[in-house]
Amino acid sequence: MLEEGSSGNDNDYYELFMEPIRKCKDYKPKLGGNNSDGVDLDGFKSLYGSDSFYSWIGLDSELMYSAHKAAGGMTSIYRQIGIGCERLFRQIIMDTCLYDDPFFSNWSYESKTSGGKVKTLYLDGRLELNEIKNEKVLYEVKSWMQKYCDRLDVPVPLNGVVFEVRQGYKSKDSKRQNGDIDNATVAWANGYLPIFAIFSAQIDKDIVYRYINNRCGILTGINESDAGEFLSLFSFFRKVLGYDLAGFFQRNSDKMKLEINTVLAKLLSPQ
């Protein structure tokens, strides 16, 4: 099992996860404009102060600017946490499977749009059976695939597993769900078991059942004490890939909380 100080170095993993989140400190709301850098407090005061209606009713206040920063910043934080999860997930796969080429740590396919254009769609992680050099991990992955496919009542695919990685899943957006199921259909057609890997335990049960009914696997951030490797993402990492992902977050929790609190404090400040 990869532990702190081994090839799965805690500091490297920590930076992979936290680096995108730090960008949120610099978030500024766009307020309907085209400036990619957003609008700072002075720009907000100028924009809202010159608007008669908004200035008459008091929306040109620093509190209103803080509210805009907090609202957009919250979305930005969740998005960047998601990116951090994807980066961490892929690197752990690289390290535990002993891949020679990072190409095999994710998966993509091409699809034609209604306009005839070709677009490339990516899934965030991949366990490519023929490329896993770690024999113990290969054995555990094959065993897990067999048992998971038995649970889904489907034949075991030939090539391996592909993952769509999310930090959480609070939305019930049907368009996103349809896209996920389309990806899963293509994955099956290409010889892969599709798995949705959700770091948080917060996901609507209706979504879980819809994915399962469409023969998509799903792992969430349920505590290992409450679920095994067929339901808990943390249990899957420890028992199948041989890395204690929950332990990584527990060891680094104090540092992460400090950095997240710094980001939140910055977002809640008008400056």
Side-chain angles (χ1 to χ4, degrees):
M1 182 179 293
L2 288 175
E3 298 290 354
E4 184 177 9
S6 70
S7 60
N9 184 276
D10 258 26
N11 291 332
D12 292 340
Y13 287 174
Y14 183 88
E15 287 303 312
L16 277 173
F17 180 74
M18 289 300 303
E19 190 269 338
I21 301 170
R22 295 186 187 115
K23 296 177 181 178
C24 299
K25 287 193 296 185
D26 300 320
Y27 173 82
K28 298 182 184 67
K30 291 186 173 60
L31 301 175
N34 296 320
N35 187 345
S36 60
D37 294 328
V39 178
D40 62 13
L41 179 58
D42 289 338
F44 170 82
K45 288 180 176 179
S46 175
L47 179 65
Y48 274 53
S50 63
D51 186 298
S52 298
F53 175 64
Y54 282 168
S55 62
W56 287 338
I57 64 175
L59 292 188
D60 57 341
S61 74
E62 291 190 1
L63 289 175
M64 191 64 186
Y65 180 72
S66 295
H68 275 289
K69 272 186 69 179
M74 179 182 68
T75 300
S76 178
I77 284 178
Y78 281 123
R79 183 183 301 115
Q80 297 303 324
I81 290 174
I83 292 172
C85 289
E86 293 169 16
R87 287 159 47 119
L88 178 63
F89 192 99
R90 279 193 297 272
Q91 189 59 52
I92 293 174
I93 284 179
M94 282 285 299
D95 291 341
T96 56
C97 293
L98 303 178
Y99 282 156
D100 292 328
D101 189 337
F103 169 80
F104 296 106
S105 64
N106 66 0
W107 183 67
S108 65
Y109 68 93
E110 291 185 343
S111 175
K112 281 190 176 181
T113 67
S114 57
K117 294 183 178 180
V118 176
K119 62 179 180 179
T120 302
L121 300 172
Y122 294 89
L123 272 72
D124 306 307
R126 173 167 46 154
L127 295 172
E128 185 73 34
L129 296 179
N130 289 336
E131 297 296 329
I132 298 176
K133 302 299 189 296
N134 185 327
E135 292 296 330
K136 185 177 188 307
V137 169
L138 179 60
Y139 172 82
E140 295 295 343
V141 168
K142 286 182 175 180
S143 175
W144 180 86
M145 286 178 64
Q146 178 66 64
K147 294 174 183 176
Y148 203 102
C149 287
D150 287 345
R151 294 164 70 96
L152 290 177
D153 194 24
V154 293
V156 180
L158 295 176
N159 294 331
V161 187
V162 290
F163 299 89
E164 177 71 15
V165 178
R166 303 260 168 80
Q167 57 83 20
Y169 206 139
K170 295 179 180 294
S171 171
K172 294 191 74 170
D173 180 9
S174 60
K175 184 177 180 181
R176 170 183 280 191
Q177 293 174 41
N178 292 339
D180 285 343
I181 292 170
D182 286 345
N183 287 339
T185 301
V186 177
W188 275 115
N190 283 271
Y192 294 101
L193 168 63
I195 298 288
F196 293 91
I198 317 295
F199 276 62
S200 167
Q202 297 184 31
I203 181 171
D204 190 281
K205 288 184 178 179
D206 289 341
I207 298 174
V208 173
Y209 287 128
R210 185 181 182 198
Y211 284 176
I212 294 296
N213 289 337
N214 281 275
R215 301 303 183 261
C216 307
I218 188 163
L219 298 168
T220 68
I222 305 171
N223 290 331
E224 290 189 67
S225 59
D226 298 325
E229 66 271 30
F230 304 107
L231 294 173
S232 168
L233 179 66
F234 301 120
S235 182
F236 169 82
F237 263 83
R238 186 171 62 82
K239 293 182 179 179
V240 179
L241 297 182
Y243 180 75
D244 186 359
L245 182 61
F248 163 76
F249 283 109
Q250 290 164 355
R251 287 192 301 274
N252 292 282
S253 178
D254 289 343
K255 285 197 301 181
M256 288 179 178
K257 287 179 179 178
L258 183 61
E259 287 213 56
I260 292 290
N261 283 337
T262 300
V263 171
L264 291 174
K266 181 69 173 176
L267 287 174
L268 291 172
S269 167
Q271 300 297 330

